[in-house]
């Protein structure tokens, strides 16, 4: 492909996103939750494991510990036993107990609805905070996970697409600058779902991809 201007790239991004909206009309968060607290804990648990596996352990976890006060006072070994089937369960048990304690001590038992407060909690990074902001509070957020990194790279939606170690914060900043804030949460959902269904890590299904006519990565495959 010839060198693409920034204006042409942004126009293509919107064209491709419109197609994703057709393919994925009603994107939803894959984690099951009934409150901001449940989503926060579930998202912390989901790091380096699947949402499906997290959804298997959270019913028992939230049945035993329905809120921050209960989880803050939990026996760590009991929490570990409940979430043992997910990766890094000891560290995650420590983090969700710790963040529950912080919610009780610093935030009156409520999950804060701002980035700075969320990332101050144990085990909560910017991606987790964006998930909570967008899905629990309706605050524009663009979580950048491995699927978003991979898909935006193959689509050349970002200038560092060839980097072996892309910066998620830089990706968030560059991609969201091209879309209105009210689209950010669903934009992330659609990229994630597209990555899971079509744009696989090892062998993308370019032949069945609705974006294969315009995707630079498909031409390079």
């Amino acid at each position: 492909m010839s060198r693409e201007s920034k204006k042409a790239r942004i126009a293509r991004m919107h064209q491709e996103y419109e197609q994703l909206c057709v393919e994925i009309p009603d994107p939803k968060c894959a984690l099951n939750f009934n409150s901001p607290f449940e989503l926060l804990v579930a998202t912390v648990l989901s790091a380096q494991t699947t949402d499906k596996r997290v959804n298997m352990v959270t019913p028992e976890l939230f049945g035993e510990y329905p809120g921050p006060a209960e989880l803050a006072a939990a026996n760590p070994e009991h929490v570990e036993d409940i979430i043992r089937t997910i990766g890094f369960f000891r560290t995650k048990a420590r983090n969700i107990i710790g963040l529950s304690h912080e919610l009780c001590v610093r935030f009156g038992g409520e999950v804060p609805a701002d980035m700075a407060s969320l990332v101050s909690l144990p085990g909560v990074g910017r991606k987790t905070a964006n998930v909570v902001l967008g899905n629990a509070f309706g605050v524009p957020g663009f979580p950048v996970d491995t699927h978003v990194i991979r898909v935006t790279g193959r689509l050349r939606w970002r200038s560092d697409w060839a980097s072996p170690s892309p910066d998620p914060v830089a990706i968030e900043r560059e991609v969201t600058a091209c879309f209105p804030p009210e689209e950010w949460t669903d934009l992330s959902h659609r990229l994630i779902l597209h990555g899971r269904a079509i744009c696989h890590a090892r062998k993308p299904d370019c032949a069945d991809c609705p974006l294969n006519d315009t995707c630079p990565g498909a031409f390079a495959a």
Side-chain angles (χ1 to χ4, degrees):
M1 295 181 66
S2 59
R3 184 173 180 82
E4 186 178 41
S5 69
K6 181 178 180 180
K7 182 178 180 180
R9 174 174 61 84
I10 293 174
R12 177 173 60 80
M13 290 170 69
H14 281 267
Q15 175 189 347
E16 290 169 342
Y17 183 55
E18 287 176 6
Q19 185 61 47
L20 287 179
C21 290
V22 172
E23 297 292 325
I24 310 170
D26 190 27
K28 298 291 185 183
C29 179
L31 292 167
N32 297 332
F33 67 97
N34 295 303
S35 68
F37 171 71
E38 289 189 1
L39 180 58
L40 175 60
V41 170
T43 308
V44 170
L45 295 179
S46 72
Q48 297 178 288
T49 193
T50 64
D51 293 342
K52 181 179 180 180
R53 187 166 293 278
V54 173
N55 289 336
M56 292 171 66
V57 302
T58 49
E60 181 180 358
L61 179 68
F62 297 138
E64 295 267 356
Y65 308 106
E70 293 84 1
L71 190 52
N75 181 322
E77 292 183 355
H78 187 219
V79 175
E80 289 176 7
D81 285 342
I82 294 174
I83 66 170
R84 187 173 296 274
T85 57
I86 66 175
F88 305 99
F89 67 91
R90 290 190 179 88
T91 298
K92 290 176 181 178
R94 183 169 63 249
N95 283 338
I96 62 175
I97 292 172
L99 71 83
S100 297
H101 174 77
E102 291 293 301
L103 290 177
C104 293
V105 171
R106 296 169 51 207
F107 299 104
E110 300 292 330
V111 176
D114 66 279
M115 176 65 72
S117 296
L118 284 168
V119 298
S120 73
L121 298 169
V124 179
R126 189 172 182 88
K127 184 191 80 171
T128 295
N130 270 321
V131 170
V132 174
L133 290 173
N135 294 282
F137 296 114
V139 175
F142 184 73
V144 177
D145 71 352
T146 56
H147 298 292
V148 172
I149 292 172
R150 182 173 68 256
V151 174
T152 57
R154 286 176 175 163
L155 289 171
R156 313 290 199 266
W157 278 20
R158 49 186 174 82
S159 56
D160 66 342
W161 60 267
S163 171
S165 54
D167 177 11
V169 176
I171 294 172
E172 177 187 346
R173 186 181 302 116
E174 186 171 9
V175 173
T176 56
C178 301
F179 293 90
E182 60 268 22
E183 291 286 351
W184 294 353
T185 299
D186 283 347
L187 172 62
S188 175
H189 280 322
R190 288 186 169 104
L191 291 170
I192 291 169
L193 292 169
H194 181 67
R196 287 175 176 165
I198 300 289
C199 198
H200 307 125
R202 293 186 179 179
K203 190 177 181 181
D205 188 9
C206 294
D208 294 323
C209 180
L211 309 180
N212 61 8
D213 288 339
T214 58
C215 174
F219 289 111

